[in-house]
Amino acid sequence: DEVRGNKSAESEFFTIFIPTLEQIASKISNEMKEAISKAEQVSSTGKKIQNDLQKMKREVRRSGEMSWEQQKELSRQVEQAKQIEEKLQEIQQHIDKNLAELEDNELISPETLQKYFELQEMFQQIMNDNFFEKMRELEELLKNKSNKDILEMMKQSDFSAQEFEKQIERVYELF
Protein backbone atom coordinates (compact mmCIF):
# COMPACT_ATOMS: atom_id res chain seq x y z
CA ASP A 1 0.00 0.00 0.00
CA GLU A 2 1.58 3.29 -1.01
CA VAL A 3 -0.08 5.33 1.73
CA ARG A 4 0.56 3.26 4.85
CA GLY A 5 3.25 0.85 3.77
CA ASN A 6 3.46 -2.89 3.69
CA LYS A 7 0.73 -5.03 5.26
CA SER A 8 0.53 -8.63 6.25
CA ALA A 9 -2.31 -11.09 6.14
CA GLU A 10 -2.89 -14.55 7.48
CA SER A 11 -4.96 -17.22 5.88
CA GLU A 12 -6.44 -20.33 7.37
CA PHE A 13 -4.56 -23.59 7.38
CA PHE A 14 -6.15 -26.31 5.34
CA THR A 15 -5.52 -29.98 5.77
CA ILE A 16 -6.12 -32.40 2.99
CA PHE A 17 -6.89 -36.02 3.72
CA ILE A 18 -6.19 -38.56 1.03
CA PRO A 19 -7.42 -42.01 2.02
CA THR A 20 -5.20 -44.99 1.44
CA LEU A 21 -6.29 -47.79 -0.84
CA GLU A 22 -6.85 -49.94 2.24
CA GLN A 23 -9.17 -47.33 3.77
CA ILE A 24 -11.13 -47.06 0.53
CA ALA A 25 -11.45 -50.83 0.26
CA SER A 26 -12.52 -51.09 3.90
CA LYS A 27 -15.15 -48.38 3.45
CA ILE A 28 -16.55 -50.07 0.35
CA SER A 29 -16.56 -53.44 2.11
CA ASN A 30 -18.53 -51.98 5.02
CA GLU A 31 -21.00 -50.35 2.66
CA MET A 32 -21.49 -53.63 0.81
CA LYS A 33 -22.13 -55.44 4.11
CA GLU A 34 -24.72 -52.79 4.90
CA ALA A 35 -26.27 -53.28 1.45
CA ILE A 36 -26.45 -57.05 2.07
CA SER A 37 -28.18 -56.44 5.40
CA LYS A 38 -30.70 -54.11 3.75
CA ALA A 39 -31.26 -56.63 0.93
CA GLU A 40 -32.01 -59.33 3.51
CA GLN A 41 -34.56 -57.06 5.18
CA VAL A 42 -36.10 -56.21 1.83
CA SER A 43 -36.26 -59.88 0.91
CA SER A 44 -38.05 -60.93 4.08
CA THR A 45 -40.49 -58.01 3.88
CA GLY A 46 -41.13 -58.68 0.19
CA LYS A 47 -41.83 -62.34 0.84
CA LYS A 48 -44.27 -61.43 3.62
CA ILE A 49 -46.09 -58.93 1.40
CA GLN A 50 -46.37 -61.39 -1.45
CA ASN A 51 -47.60 -64.17 0.84
CA ASP A 52 -50.18 -61.82 2.38
CA LEU A 53 -51.33 -60.79 -1.09
CA GLN A 54 -51.63 -64.43 -2.16
CA LYS A 55 -53.77 -65.14 0.91
CA MET A 56 -55.94 -62.08 0.27
CA LYS A 57 -56.30 -63.08 -3.39
CA ARG A 58 -57.59 -66.53 -2.39
CA GLU A 59 -60.06 -64.96 0.01
CA VAL A 60 -61.30 -62.51 -2.62
CA ARG A 61 -61.70 -65.28 -5.20
CA ARG A 62 -63.60 -67.39 -2.68
CA SER A 63 -65.96 -64.65 -1.47
CA GLY A 64 -66.27 -62.73 -4.75
CA GLU A 65 -66.00 -59.39 -2.96
CA MET A 66 -63.51 -57.29 -1.07
CA SER A 67 -64.30 -56.03 2.42
CA TRP A 68 -63.31 -52.64 3.79
CA GLU A 69 -60.75 -54.33 6.06
CA GLN A 70 -59.22 -56.11 3.08
CA GLN A 71 -58.97 -52.82 1.21
CA LYS A 72 -57.20 -51.23 4.18
CA GLU A 73 -54.84 -54.21 4.38
CA LEU A 74 -54.21 -53.97 0.65
CA SER A 75 -53.45 -50.28 1.04
CA ARG A 76 -50.97 -51.11 3.81
CA GLN A 77 -49.33 -53.77 1.61
CA VAL A 78 -48.98 -51.28 -1.24
CA GLU A 79 -47.35 -48.78 1.12
CA GLN A 80 -44.89 -51.42 2.31
CA ALA A 81 -44.09 -52.30 -1.31
CA LYS A 82 -43.30 -48.64 -1.96
CA GLN A 83 -40.92 -48.66 1.01
CA ILE A 84 -39.24 -51.78 -0.35
CA GLU A 85 -38.83 -50.13 -3.72
CA GLU A 86 -37.26 -47.06 -2.06
CA LYS A 87 -34.83 -49.26 -0.10
CA LEU A 88 -33.89 -51.11 -3.27
CA GLN A 89 -33.24 -47.80 -5.01
CA GLU A 90 -31.04 -46.74 -2.09
CA ILE A 91 -29.09 -50.01 -2.28
CA GLN A 92 -28.78 -49.55 -6.05
CA GLN A 93 -27.34 -46.06 -5.55
CA HIS A 94 -24.79 -47.36 -3.02
CA ILE A 95 -23.73 -50.10 -5.42
CA ASP A 96 -23.41 -47.62 -8.28
CA LYS A 97 -21.32 -45.27 -6.13
CA ASN A 98 -19.09 -48.09 -4.90
CA LEU A 99 -18.66 -49.43 -8.40
CA ALA A 100 -17.57 -46.01 -9.67
CA GLU A 101 -15.12 -45.65 -6.79
CA LEU A 102 -13.71 -49.12 -7.38
CA GLU A 103 -13.25 -48.39 -11.07
CA ASP A 104 -11.60 -45.02 -10.40
CA ASN A 105 -9.12 -46.45 -7.91
CA GLU A 106 -8.55 -49.75 -9.68
CA LEU A 107 -8.84 -51.58 -6.37
CA ILE A 108 -10.09 -54.93 -7.55
CA SER A 109 -9.46 -57.49 -10.20
CA PRO A 110 -11.40 -57.45 -13.48
CA GLU A 111 -13.26 -60.63 -12.41
CA THR A 112 -14.48 -59.03 -9.18
CA LEU A 113 -15.41 -55.88 -11.05
CA GLN A 114 -17.45 -58.02 -13.45
CA LYS A 115 -19.31 -59.50 -10.46
CA TYR A 116 -20.13 -55.99 -9.25
CA PHE A 117 -21.50 -55.18 -12.71
CA GLU A 118 -23.64 -58.33 -12.57
CA LEU A 119 -24.85 -57.31 -9.11
CA GLN A 120 -25.76 -53.89 -10.41
CA GLU A 121 -27.65 -55.47 -13.30
CA MET A 122 -29.55 -57.79 -10.94
CA PHE A 123 -30.71 -54.88 -8.81
CA GLN A 124 -31.91 -53.14 -11.95
CA GLN A 125 -33.90 -56.25 -12.86
CA ILE A 126 -35.42 -56.39 -9.38
CA MET A 127 -36.36 -52.72 -9.63
CA ASN A 128 -38.08 -53.39 -12.96
CA ASP A 129 -39.91 -56.41 -11.57
CA ASN A 130 -43.56 -56.88 -12.50
CA PHE A 131 -44.43 -56.94 -8.79
CA PHE A 132 -43.75 -53.22 -8.35
CA GLU A 133 -45.77 -52.37 -11.46
CA LYS A 134 -48.75 -54.24 -10.06
CA MET A 135 -48.36 -52.46 -6.75
CA ARG A 136 -48.44 -49.08 -8.50
CA GLU A 137 -51.56 -50.14 -10.42
CA LEU A 138 -53.21 -51.25 -7.18
CA GLU A 139 -52.28 -47.95 -5.57
CA GLU A 140 -53.99 -46.04 -8.40
CA LEU A 141 -57.08 -48.23 -8.12
CA LEU A 142 -57.19 -47.69 -4.36
CA LYS A 143 -56.90 -43.93 -4.82
CA ASN A 144 -59.76 -43.99 -7.33
CA LYS A 145 -61.86 -46.14 -4.96
CA SER A 146 -62.69 -48.45 -7.84
CA ASN A 147 -63.82 -51.55 -5.91
CA LYS A 148 -64.87 -53.41 -9.02
CA ASP A 149 -61.48 -52.86 -10.70
CA ILE A 150 -59.58 -53.74 -7.50
CA LEU A 151 -61.59 -56.93 -7.17
CA GLU A 152 -60.97 -57.81 -10.81
CA MET A 153 -57.24 -57.15 -10.53
CA MET A 154 -57.01 -59.21 -7.35
CA LYS A 155 -58.72 -62.11 -9.08
CA GLN A 156 -56.53 -61.96 -12.19
CA SER A 157 -53.15 -60.90 -10.83
CA ASP A 158 -50.42 -63.30 -9.92
CA PHE A 159 -48.53 -62.05 -6.88
CA SER A 160 -46.04 -64.87 -7.07
CA ALA A 161 -43.15 -64.60 -4.67
CA GLN A 162 -41.07 -67.10 -6.62
CA GLU A 163 -39.49 -64.73 -9.16
CA PHE A 164 -38.75 -62.09 -6.54
CA GLU A 165 -37.15 -64.73 -4.28
CA LYS A 166 -35.05 -66.10 -7.16
CA GLN A 167 -33.68 -62.66 -7.94
CA ILE A 168 -32.78 -61.97 -4.32
CA GLU A 169 -31.13 -65.42 -4.03
CA ARG A 170 -28.99 -64.64 -7.08
CA VAL A 171 -27.89 -61.42 -5.36
CA TYR A 172 -26.85 -63.42 -2.27
CA GLU A 173 -24.90 -65.87 -4.43
CA LEU A 174 -22.93 -63.03 -5.99
CA PHE A 175 -22.09 -61.56 -2.58
Side-chain angles (χ1 to χ4, degrees):
D1 185 349
E2 291 183 18
V3 177
R4 298 195 180 207
N6 293 335
K7 297 183 179 162
S8 66
E10 289 186 30
S11 62
E12 293 181 48
F13 285 101
F14 294 97
T15 305
I16 186 168
F17 173 74
I18 300 174
T20 65
L21 292 178
E22 183 179 314
Q23 290 170 327
I24 293 170
S26 174
K27 176 184 160 227
I28 290 173
S29 175
N30 289 338
E31 287 180 4
M32 290 308 291
K33 287 177 184 174
E34 184 180 322
I36 291 170
S37 174
K38 286 181 182 180
E40 289 172 350
Q41 291 172 352
V42 163
S43 175
S44 65
T45 304
K47 288 175 187 177
K48 183 183 179 317
I49 289 172
Q50 290 180 335
N51 290 335
D52 291 347
L53 288 173
Q54 284 287 1
K55 181 181 172 186
M56 189 181 300
K57 179 181 169 182
R58 286 190 298 273
E59 291 173 5
V60 166
R61 281 187 175 169
R62 193 173 334 123
S63 67
E65 60 184 25
M66 182 176 268
S67 68
W68 183 81
E69 291 85 13
Q70 287 174 324
Q71 286 181 3
K72 287 295 177 188
E73 178 64 20
L74 184 59
S75 179
R76 189 179 67 76
Q77 299 293 339
V78 168
E79 189 60 37
Q80 283 185 334
K82 284 172 55 176
Q83 290 172 356
I84 285 175
E85 190 172 21
E86 289 171 7
K87 284 182 182 179
L88 285 173
Q89 287 174 347
E90 184 180 311
I91 293 169
Q92 175 82 36
Q93 289 171 353
H94 281 292
I95 290 171
D96 292 346
K97 184 183 85 164
N98 289 341
L99 190 57
E101 197 166 337
L102 288 170
E103 282 181 307
D104 290 344
N105 295 309
E106 298 177 2
L107 289 174
I108 56 176
S109 68
E111 296 83 22
T112 307
L113 192 60
Q114 180 62 33
K115 289 203 182 254
Y116 270 100
F117 279 122
E118 289 174 22
L119 181 66
Q120 182 183 35
E121 186 177 305
M122 282 185 194
F123 268 101
Q124 288 172 348
Q125 288 174 356
I126 291 171
M127 292 301 299
N128 295 328
D129 190 36
N130 200 18
F131 173 73
F132 294 113
E133 285 180 35
K134 289 180 182 180
M135 289 291 106
R136 285 189 283 278
E137 289 175 22
L138 274 173
E139 181 181 29
E140 286 300 313
L141 292 175
L142 286 167
K143 283 180 183 178
N144 296 332
K145 304 283 188 208
S146 177
N147 290 341
K148 183 179 176 185
D149 292 337
I150 294 170
L151 185 62
E152 192 62 34
M153 185 173 186
M154 286 296 291
K155 286 181 180 179
Q156 293 178 357
S157 292
D158 179 24
F159 296 104
S160 173
Q162 293 172 351
E163 188 61 35
F164 185 75
E165 288 175 29
K166 284 180 187 177
Q167 290 174 342
I168 294 293
E169 285 173 13
R170 281 187 275 162
V171 168
Y172 290 143
E173 288 172 10
L174 263 179
F175 278 125

